[in-house]
Amino acid sequence: MAIKDYQREFIEFAIQNSVLKFGEFTLKSGRISPYFLNAGLFNTGASLSKIGKFYAAAVNDSGIEHDIIFGPAYKGVPLACTTVIALAEAPYNKDTPYCFNRKEKKDHGEGGTIVGSALQGKVLVIDDVITAGTAIRESVQIIQDCKAQLAGVLVAVDRQETGKNGDMSAIQEVERDFGVPVKAIVTMSHIMEYMEEKGTYVEHLKLMRVYREKYGV
């Protein structure tokens, strides 16, 4: 799938803000990765506003029908907020309800674990990444407990690499287990296409190709 303008802009923005870095990074899995994207570094008002626009573009591009956006605690909370703000503005002008969960159940005030709009109908989950899929499975449980329906998941990046247990990625496993699409603002393929276009990442691109050959799906 050819890279789109908003995806190119996202990669450039991530590089400028040192959110996307090239080099040698040891992942939790023990793999040595030639790149790393840390969405937690979108940590100012301006960068959060901008990332919301990229998520909104990806929501629109995904074609996933949804009634509400859900941001899993904790990282998904600001991402869901900034996405619905961006969706409410031009060119989308779509006023979308959103909610998020508390990690601890509240027994006073309004009580419960859900904050924001009622969790009902078709739910689009927004998060930063899917590594092992654990957080998404927790979200699915919350959605089912509220008698709502998982419509799909949107993350910032799809690393397109196999999990520990075989030939599928964590994203592919979530798609298989829950029968819903999992989309990303960008994939590893998009990042590599961007690097090829620029022509200034020759050595890093070689390492990316070796890594994909070894762990790619």
Side-chain angles (χ1 to χ4, degrees):
M1 202 69 154
I3 190 168
K4 297 182 178 177
D5 286 345
Y6 78 87
Q7 293 168 324
R8 195 176 284 107
E9 285 170 29
F10 172 78
I11 293 167
E12 284 176 350
F13 183 67
I15 291 169
Q16 285 162 10
N17 286 269
S18 299
V19 170
L20 175 59
K21 293 180 179 177
F22 302 106
E24 269 197 12
F25 305 92
T26 304
L27 306 179
K28 279 182 189 170
S29 60
R31 293 175 185 171
I32 309 295
S33 173
Y35 77 107
F36 189 68
L37 192 143
N38 182 359
L41 294 177
F42 290 122
N43 54 15
T44 68
S47 63
L48 194 59
S49 172
K50 191 83 172 163
I51 186 83
K53 291 177 172 62
F54 294 124
Y55 270 100
V59 168
N60 189 59
D61 203 19
S62 74
I64 298 171
E65 279 186 34
H66 59 282
D67 302 308
I68 188 166
I69 283 176
F70 176 75
Y74 291 97
K75 282 186 180 176
V77 177
L79 297 176
C81 293
T82 189
T83 302
V84 293
I85 289 169
L87 285 169
E89 296 169 351
Y92 314 109
N93 301 310
K94 189 180 176 199
D95 193 17
T96 307
Y98 82 99
C99 66
F100 57 90
N101 64 304
R102 288 191 183 93
K103 288 279 193 182
E104 311 79 19
K105 191 166 184 177
K106 194 176 171 190
D107 56 9
H108 59 280
E110 73 275 30
T113 56
I114 301 298
V115 183
S117 293
L119 186 51
Q120 57 192 23
K122 296 175 186 166
V123 184
L124 174 60
V125 176
I126 287 193
D127 213 343
D128 59 345
V129 290
I130 293 178
T131 40
T134 314
I136 290 299
R137 288 169 205 284
E138 287 172 6
S139 295
V140 171
Q141 191 59 57
I142 292 164
I143 290 164
Q144 289 174 344
D145 289 348
C146 290
K147 306 285 189 286
Q149 176 194 342
L150 178 68
V153 182
L154 175 63
V155 292
V157 64
D158 177 359
R159 291 183 59 93
Q160 295 179 308
E161 64 185 77
T162 56
K164 284 181 182 175
N165 312 315
D167 55 1
M168 292 182 97
S169 71
I171 281 181
Q172 289 173 325
E173 285 174 4
V174 169
E175 288 185 318
R176 177 200 65 197
D177 293 349
F178 302 109
V180 298
V182 179
K183 303 289 187 180
I185 300 174
V186 294
T187 63
M188 184 180 183
S189 299
H190 291 134
I191 294 169
M192 290 173 71
E193 189 178 334
Y194 172 86
M195 293 164 84
E196 280 172 14
E197 281 179 2
K198 285 291 172 192
T200 51
Y201 294 98
V202 180
E203 290 308 312
H204 289 310
L205 195 51
K206 280 182 194 168
L207 295 171
M208 295 277 276
R209 289 198 179 109
V210 169
Y211 189 82
R212 185 164 70 175
E213 195 64 39
K214 195 169 181 183
Y215 299 118
V217 291

